[in-house]
Amino acid sequence: MAGALLVATLSTSSIALAEDRDERLRLVVPPWPGVTVKSEILAQLAEPLGYQVERLEVSSTVGYKTLTSGDSDAFLAGWLPAQQESYDAAMQAGAIIDLGNNVTGARMGFAVPGYVADAGITDAAQLGDAANAERFERTFYSIESGSTVTDFIDAAVEANTHGLGDWEVMSSSTPGMLSEVKAAVDEGRWIAFYGWTPHWMIPEYDVRILDDSENVFGPDNGSSDVRTVVAKEFAEANPNLTRLLDQVVFSAQEQSDFIKAYSLEQQDLEQVASEWLASHPEKVSAFLDGVTSRDGGEALASVKDTR
């Protein structure tokens, strides 16, 4: 991981042996299902180790301000480049450190259901082909008008990128867009829409995000970073917890799965996190590698004793 700046200044052994100053970890938790479940998973690991976990339900913009002011300690949903302005301001103030991605494989872009990809549509450049465009009814479904991503696709249509000049963009809310996707999937129709991972749409509709040589939704085929951001002063004073924060990493598919359980299937939050931990013992071991309880005990044993 790019965990960095702090971890680079302290040896692995010194981090593992150092005693944390704080018993409390205050997490920034905007009302997004992915960070909500991730934060609960982290809490179910940290609390058996002797830490108290508090959640601040604020927006990401406010969250960066609290990290800067010392009113919060960590944030597991530093989406970049979407939050670049707030992130850069906090970084330039010397208030935060970046421990790197806690989600691997995050992307956004042109998307189709799995059966469309299996029929051969794997690249956005194929959308404008006359025969394919007919099957898509020359329509692209997106989220709210005025959102950054809808502006991206509107600009692509205006520029005739990928031959989309005669396509119509149907913008709606996220639930509205996904209701169109569900209807198309139920009928086996071809549909092109704005997709992103991690999200429950991925497992629910076997969504595939298309290759995009024009990078309409951002560089590197719309790849995104989801960073673990920690208040610098807190990280320096709490190397053991910082090691845990640095090592909690999920694949986009893993996060999509637990978002589906919590957000779409509306399962209990604590249950979703507990069941995920129980079914991923190898991940739990990796998360806790070199970490101790606050009093210096063996972390994995402490967590297992509570399960």
Side-chain angles (χ1 to χ4, degrees), residues 3-198:
L5 303 173
L6 175 73
V7 176
T9 65
L10 298 172
S11 72
T12 298
S13 59
S14 67
I15 290 175
L17 296 174
E19 182 178 342
D20 282 356
R21 179 195 66 191
D22 297 314
E23 295 183 5
R24 179 179 63 172
L25 172 63
R26 298 166 297 174
L27 294 174
V28 173
V29 186
W32 309 332
V35 68
T36 298
V37 179
K38 279 191 296 190
S39 297
E40 178 62 25
I41 288 172
L42 179 64
Q44 291 190 20
L45 293 173
E47 288 170 352
L49 303 183
Y51 299 96
Q52 300 172 6
V53 179
E54 298 179 5
R55 298 153 182 84
L56 284 68
E57 296 182 0
V58 297
S59 69
S60 61
T61 302
V62 173
Y64 281 102
K65 292 178 180 177
T66 64
L67 288 165
T68 301
S69 66
D71 293 316
S72 68
D73 304 318
F75 179 35
L76 302 182
W79 278 79
L80 298 179
Q83 299 167 7
Q84 199 73 53
E85 183 176 350
S86 295
Y87 171 92
D88 286 347
M91 188 65 75
Q92 289 165 10
I96 60 173
I97 66 166
D98 181 346
L99 297 182
N101 283 343
N102 63 60
V103 175
T104 58
R107 281 184 68 193
M108 60 182 184
F110 296 94
V112 296
Y115 56 85
V116 177
D118 291 342
I121 305 300
T122 60
D123 194 300
Q126 298 171 274
L127 297 176
D129 177 82
N132 293 334
E134 285 296 321
R135 294 200 67 175
F136 287 114
E137 298 181 346
R138 289 184 166 81
T139 301
F140 184 86
Y141 293 86
S142 188
I143 59 173
E144 294 82 1
S145 178
S147 65
T148 301
V149 294
T150 297
D151 289 345
F152 288 160
I153 186 61
D154 285 340
V157 169
E158 184 175 350
N160 195 32
T161 304
H162 297 314
L164 299 176
D166 59 351
W167 280 49
E168 180 179 6
V169 177
M170 298 290 289
S171 56
S172 179
S173 63
T174 298
M177 181 190 76
L178 291 175
S179 70
E180 295 287 349
V181 175
K182 181 182 186 303
V185 170
D186 288 346
E187 298 172 11
R189 290 186 284 109
W190 283 26
I191 185 170
F193 56 98
Y194 168 63
W196 67 94
T197 181

